[in-house]
C-alpha cells in the first residue's frame, strides 16, 4: 500500500502536473485534490499528499494556484476559500518536526486560507495558521501565526505592515494556456 501511495503521488509530481493542456491537467488534478468551479491549478504545482482522500487539500471557486507552489496535505489539511490568489513558489506546510523532541516527532496543523486572500511570491506558510479574509501576505514572508482579515503582513516572521483598502468585490478568472 505504501509503495502504491508513493507511486501515485510520484505520477502527479513527475508527469500530470507537467501536462501543458489545462483541461487535461485539471482532469488529473481533480483526481488528487478538491477544486471548485473556475479555479486554475497551473503547471508545476507540487503535492505532498500521502492519503487517498481528496479532502486533504480543498480549493474553492475562482482561485489561481501558480507554478512552483507546494501544497502539503500529508496529515492535516489545507482549506482554501474562493477568489484566492497564490503566487509563484509559495510553500504551504501542514506538518513539521518538533525541534525539541527526542524522537524527531511530527507536529501538524491545518492551514486555512479565507476568501480573497493574496499570497505573494516566495512566501512560506507554516502549519496551524489561518489567513483571514482578504489579507495579503507580502512576497518573501514566513507566516508563523494567524493573519487577520484585510491586514497586509510581511517579513520573517510575518508581521502586519499595512491595511488592505479593497472592498474585495473582484472575481478571479485567469486560466492562461501553457502557463509554466
Ligand atoms: C504586498 C506588497 C504589494 C506591498 O504592499 P503595499 O501596501 O504597497 O506596501 P508598501 O510598498 O506601501 O510598503 C509598506 C511598508 O511595508 C514594507 N514592505 C513592503 N513590502 C514588503 C515585503 N515584501 N516584506 C517586508 N516588508 C515590506 C515597506 O518597506 C514599507 O515599510 P515602511 O512603512 O517602513 O517604509 C509587496 O510587498 C508585494 O508583496 N508585492 C508582490 C510581488 C509579487 O509577488 N509579485 C508576483 C505576483 S503578481
Amino acid at each position: 500500500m505504501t509503495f502504491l501511495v508513493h507511486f501515485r503521488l510520484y505520477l502527479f509530481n513527475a508527469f500530470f502536473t507537467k501536462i501543458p493542456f489545462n483541461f487535461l491537467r485539471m482532469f488529473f488534478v481533480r483526481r488528487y485534490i478538491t477544486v471548485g468551479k473556475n479555479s486554475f491549478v497551473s503547471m508545476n504545482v507540487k503535492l505532498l499528499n500521502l492519503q487517498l482522500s481528496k479532502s486533504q487539500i480543498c480549493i474553492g471557486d475562482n482561485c489561481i494556484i501558480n507554478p512552483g507552489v507546494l501544497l502539503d496535505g500529508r496529515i492535516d489539511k489545507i482549506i482554501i476559500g474562493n477568489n484566492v490568489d497564490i503566487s509563484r513558489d509559495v510553500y504551504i506546510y501542514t506538518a513539521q518536526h518538533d525541534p525539541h523532541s527526542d524522537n524527531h516527532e511530527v507536529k501538524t496543523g491545518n492551514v486555512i486560507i479565507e476568501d480573497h486572500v493574496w499570497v505573494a511570491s516566495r512566501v512560506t506558510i507554516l502549519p496551524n495558521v489561518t489567513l483571514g479574509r482578504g489579507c495579503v501576505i507580502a512576497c518573501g514572508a514566513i507566516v508563523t501565526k494567524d493573519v487577520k482579515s484585510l491586514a497586509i503582513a510581511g517579513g520573517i516572521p510575518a508581521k502586519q505592515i499595512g491595511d488592505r483598502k479593497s472592498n474585495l468585490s473582484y472575481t478571479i478568472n485567469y486560466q492562461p494556456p501553457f502557463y509554466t
Side-chain angles (χ1 to χ4, degrees):
M1 185 63 177
T2 309
F3 174 84
L4 285 179
V5 168
H6 280 268
F7 183 62
R8 179 177 178 272
L9 190 59
Y10 164 77
L11 287 179
F12 185 89
N13 290 327
F15 297 105
F16 300 148
T17 192
K18 300 199 185 303
I19 298 173
F21 307 105
N22 293 343
F23 73 96
L24 189 57
R25 187 181 60 262
M26 288 305 296
F27 170 83
F28 287 106
V29 167
R30 290 179 196 281
R31 308 265 102 47
Y32 285 78
I33 65 178
T34 305
V35 184
K37 290 188 284 257
N38 202 37
S39 284
F40 177 74
V41 178
S42 76
M43 291 174 70
N44 296 316
V45 166
K46 276 210 166 149
L47 301 181
L48 280 178
N49 184 4
L50 296 175
Q51 300 187 34
L52 294 176
S53 164
K54 288 193 272 186
S55 65
Q56 287 302 110
I57 298 170
C58 294
I59 299 171
D61 301 337
N62 312 312
C63 294
I64 175 156
I65 313 294
N66 274 280
V69 169
L70 175 89
L71 300 171
D72 169 15
R74 282 172 294 181
I75 302 169
D76 276 357
K77 299 186 182 200
I78 298 175
I79 310 288
I80 296 177
N82 302 323
N83 294 295
V84 170
D85 180 352
I86 311 283
S87 301
R88 284 176 185 261
D89 300 318
V90 168
Y91 282 19
I92 304 177
Y93 282 111
T94 57
Q96 61 189 0
H97 295 280
D98 177 356
H100 311 294
S101 160
D102 295 331
N103 323 312
H104 204 38
E105 221 167 273
V106 173
K107 276 168 67 173
T108 67
N110 296 331
V111 170
I112 296 171
I113 302 181
E114 296 179 354
D115 297 351
H116 288 286
V117 169
W118 171 31
V119 182
S121 55
R122 292 188 171 256
V123 165
T124 300
I125 301 170
L126 298 188
N128 209 19
V129 158
T130 296
L131 304 184
R133 179 174 184 271
C135 76
V136 173
I137 311 300
C139 54
I142 298 187
V143 186
T144 59
K145 294 195 171 112
D146 293 355
V147 175
K148 67 178 204 229
S149 179
L150 289 172
I152 301 178
I156 302 174
K159 302 254 191 269
Q160 187 160 353
I161 57 173
D163 292 294
R164 192 177 187 186
K165 311 271 183 332
S166 166
N167 65 11
L168 307 179
S169 54
Y170 60 88
T171 301
I172 294 177
N173 183 15
Y174 192 62
Q175 316 235 358
F178 304 109
Y179 191 61
T180 184

